[in-house]
Amino acid sequence: MSTMNNKERPVFISVSPFTFAFPFTALASIAHRITGVLLFLGMGYLLWLLSLALESQAGFAEAEAIMAAPFAKFVLWAVLSMLIFHILAGVKHLLLDFHVGDTFEAASVSAYVVVGLSIVLAIATGAWIW
């Protein structure tokens, strides 16, 4: 008989997306980080449009023509939707820093609330843009 229990044996945990499911709170946190990076890139596009619009009347007309295109409206909607999610998730993280809702159950509920509210506000933003 072996003196080693099964509890002491090393366990291999695969983190591939097919064998390991992240909790929803982890996915929301990862999405918060990803939206931060994408916002950094998206703000460059929006600042370019702003500088074009502010440089002259002809530049304003060109920026207006660019924003009339469906793809430009989609990019604006995407950046604003990411900003909405990033702000809501940031407030959630700030509350967690103050130990408000830091149990797993409360963090899970707040992650669902943040994602749900972000979806509703993204739809409203899309309706406002188009």
Side-chain angles (χ1 to χ4, degrees), residues 24-99:
F24 191 75
T25 53
L27 295 174
S29 180
I30 292 167
H32 179 244
R33 294 165 193 250
I34 291 171
T35 57
V37 172
L38 293 175
L39 278 172
F40 180 75
L41 300 173
M43 288 299 156
Y45 172 71
L46 294 181
L47 285 173
W48 170 74
L49 277 175
L50 180 65
S51 73
L52 184 65
L54 294 177
E55 104 185 349
S56 66
Q57 284 183 343
F60 182 83
E62 185 179 349
E64 193 173 29
I66 290 171
M67 285 309 299
F71 181 73
K73 286 183 180 182
F74 175 77
V75 171
L76 177 65
W77 172 78
V79 171
L80 290 177
S81 297
M82 287 187 290
L83 182 63
I84 288 167
F85 174 77
H86 194 75
I87 288 172
L88 291 176
V91 169
K92 175 188 169 298
H93 283 287
L94 283 173
L95 290 174
L96 288 174
D97 287 342
F98 289 107
H99 301 289

